Amino acid sequence: MNYNLLEEIGLSGFDLTYLFIATYALIILLIIVIIVQTVKMNKLFKRYKKFMSGKNAKSLENDIQGIFEDHKFIKASAEKNRKDIQSLYKKLEGTFQKVGIVKYDAFNQMGGQLSFSLALLDENDNGFILNSVHSTDGCYSYTKEIKNGLCDISLGDEEKQALDIAMDIDLDS
């Protein structure tokens, strides 16, 4: 019984040398792939050993839980800080942040600029003007309320100047 596989599949004239060369080339290619994968696996194993050095699964789990706890603490702290900063900004809106002062000689008789107008305003230009007039008879002080940068009572030149300085209005224009 003479059984020839190549004749059965219709390749009776096919040279087996080409088949062996292709097989050897495939084997060499597979050996190269195995070597490359082995090198990569060794690198990964070294990294794994370094990561796990001195650790067991329980201590590693504790480390990861510690990181999560730290993350929660940092998140809570950041939120608290954000709320505190908002609160501070809200409080600062009502504090006097803008100041303007003009010294002058009210009656040209005292020999110095002993009178003054002082404007104190918050962020929204609300506040007051304190005017202190110094004369030979004494010193008189009074205030005028400022709302949104405006006063219901007419302002003197020095008071207007102090208000403009506090509101950072260009006095030259």
Side-chain angles (χ1 to χ4, degrees):
M1 186 155 158
N2 191 5
Y3 184 75
N4 192 349
L5 178 65
L6 291 177
E7 286 178 16
E8 288 288 322
I9 59 172
L11 296 174
S12 60
F14 184 72
D15 190 5
L16 289 181
T17 309
Y18 296 121
L19 181 63
F20 288 131
I21 291 173
T23 305
Y24 287 131
L26 184 61
I27 290 172
I28 290 173
L29 181 66
L30 289 175
I31 289 173
I32 291 171
V33 169
I34 289 173
I35 291 171
V36 169
Q37 291 302 319
T38 303
V39 169
K40 286 184 179 181
M41 191 68 160
N42 284 339
K43 285 182 182 178
L44 183 63
F45 187 69
K46 285 179 186 176
R47 288 175 58 197
Y48 174 76
K49 279 185 116 178
K50 185 177 179 183
F51 179 70
M52 295 299 286
S53 64
K55 305 273 184 195
N56 58 25
K58 187 65 177 169
S59 64
L60 190 58
E61 182 180 344
N62 290 338
D63 288 347
I64 292 171
Q65 283 178 342
I67 290 170
F68 279 123
E69 291 300 320
D70 290 347
H71 176 71
K72 286 179 185 176
F73 174 75
I74 290 171
K75 229 174 143 179
S77 296
E79 181 63 24
K80 182 186 179 304
N81 289 344
R82 188 186 63 77
K83 287 179 181 177
D84 289 347
I85 289 170
Q86 282 180 340
S87 173
L88 287 172
Y89 276 132
K90 190 72 175 160
K91 288 178 183 177
L92 279 175
E93 284 180 4
T95 62
F96 294 125
Q97 301 175 20
K98 302 174 184 179
V99 177
I101 187 166
V102 175
K103 293 180 72 174
Y104 62 97
D105 188 3
F107 299 106
N108 295 327
Q109 62 187 358
M110 298 299 294
Q113 294 182 335
L114 301 175
S115 300
F116 66 89
S117 288
L118 172 68
L120 295 173
L121 303 175
D122 65 8
E123 182 178 298
N124 301 315
D125 293 332
N126 297 320
F128 63 90
I129 294 178
L130 173 65
N131 198 358
S132 179
V133 179
H134 191 77
S135 71
T136 54
D137 296 336
C139 183
Y140 303 97
S141 298
Y142 56 92
T143 62
K144 293 181 180 177
E145 184 179 19
I146 305 297
K147 290 183 181 177
N148 298 319
L150 302 172
C151 183
D152 293 337
I153 304 170
S154 64
L155 298 175
D157 291 340
E158 294 83 7
E159 293 169 326
K160 177 72 174 129
Q161 231 180 337
L163 181 61
D164 289 346
I165 291 170
M167 291 175 51
D168 197 25
I169 296 175
D170 188 13
L171 299 175
D172 295 330
S173 56

